[in-house]
Amino acid sequence: MQLDKIVAYHKALSDPTRLRILLLLSRGEVHGHALAEKLNLSQPTVTHHAAKLREAALIQERRDKNTVYFKLNPEFIQSGSEASLKFIFAKGVEEMEEVSPEHSLKESVLRNFFAKDGRLRQIPAQYKKKLIALQYMVEKLEPGVVYSEKEINEFIKPFHEDYATIRREFIMHQFMYRENERYELNPPELWTHWENVK
């Protein structure tokens, strides 16, 4: 449920008269005149509050000649309540926080350059985007493990067929250290971090 619908749901519930109407309707369908009598209100006042509840989809109405009957819309009342709780406790903070430009760029690169099966469609030409792609791949290697050149090639192949180029890029940008055809991840502090590239 979208935020504006959640707000409309709570606005409709924010009046004591409307809550009393819902309470009366919880026992079953009631016509407008009966609601007015039970609440000791004028018919126009009941009609006004019922319209607010109907706009928020909390109640339904049907007309029989000159009489209007109202009843609860329990499914929507339930879903509105659950959506409110989910928004507040599950994702409210995340949705309200501003998405940083860095986060947006990373998400964009991963979405545009990597296919759903994880393959790198092409090596990005732009330096910063290339670093994001390289970092995404090396983060899947195990720190402290010494890899042979063949093992690194086999690791890269599912991402991209040009494993030799990507292997060299890992070394050039300090993601990995190579000695005697043995490869090991450098500590992240030594990596060329795309966030620092102007």
Side-chain angles (χ1 to χ4, degrees), residues 114 118-120 136-137 140 155-161:
F114 286 90
R119 285 191 63 78
L120 181 63
Y136 174 76
M137 289 185 279
K140 300 187 183 309
F155 167 77
I156 296 169
K157 280 178 186 177
F159 290 106
H160 199 273
E161 62 275 4

Side-chain angles (χ1 to χ4, degrees), residues 33-174:
H33 293 293
L35 283 176
E37 285 177 17
K38 289 180 180 181
L39 294 168
N40 197 25
L41 294 171
S42 68
Q43 186 64 44
T45 301
V46 169
T47 302
H48 166 76
H49 287 296
K52 295 289 184 185
L53 292 169
R54 191 184 67 249
E55 286 167 15
L58 298 177
I59 65 171
Q60 297 170 332
E61 68 174 52
R62 70 176 178 88
R63 187 175 292 274
D64 184 3
K65 297 180 182 173
N66 293 326
T67 306
V68 179
Y69 291 85
F70 301 101
K71 67 176 182 176
L72 292 182
N73 187 358
E75 293 81 10
F76 194 88
I77 293 172
Q78 181 82 22
S79 67
S81 172
E82 289 170 358
S84 301
L85 291 171
K86 190 180 290 185
F87 178 82
I88 293 167
F89 292 107
K91 59 180 181 176
V93 174
E94 293 163 20
E95 289 198 0
M96 296 298 286
E97 283 176 350
E98 238 180 83
V99 178
S100 67
E102 288 83 8
H103 180 77
S104 296
L105 177 62
K106 182 178 179 182
E107 290 297 310
S108 171
V109 169
L110 297 182
R111 187 173 59 250
N112 294 328
F113 285 90
F114 286 90
K116 287 184 178 178
D117 62 2
R119 285 191 63 78
L120 181 63
R121 293 190 178 100
Q122 65 183 74
I123 300 171
Q126 190 182 340
Y127 184 51
K128 187 180 278 195
K129 292 179 179 179
K130 180 167 68 175
L131 289 175
I132 291 172
L134 293 171
Q135 182 175 321
Y136 174 76
M137 289 185 279
V138 296
E139 283 174 346
K140 300 187 183 309
L141 290 166
E142 291 290 327
V145 174
V146 178
Y147 297 92
S148 68
E149 188 166 292
K150 183 181 178 184
E151 287 172 327
I152 288 296
N153 292 345
E154 292 303 315
F155 167 77
I156 296 169
K157 280 178 186 177
F159 290 106
H160 199 273
E161 62 275 4
D162 192 356
Y163 57 83
T165 296
I166 292 176
R167 191 184 67 230
R168 283 194 300 272
E169 296 278 359
F170 284 168
I171 303 303
M172 284 169 54
H173 302 295
Q174 303 295 313

Side-chain angles (χ1 to χ4, degrees), residues 8-47:
Y9 171 86
H10 287 281
K11 275 186 180 177
L13 293 174
S14 67
D15 185 281
T17 298
R18 288 175 215 153
L19 288 172
R20 284 197 286 269
I21 290 173
L22 293 175
L23 187 61
L24 289 171
L25 294 179
S26 68
R27 298 172 189 164
E29 190 178 66
V30 181
H31 61 74
H33 293 293
L35 283 176
E37 285 177 17
K38 289 180 180 181
L39 294 168
N40 197 25
L41 294 171
S42 68
Q43 186 64 44
T45 301
V46 169
T47 302

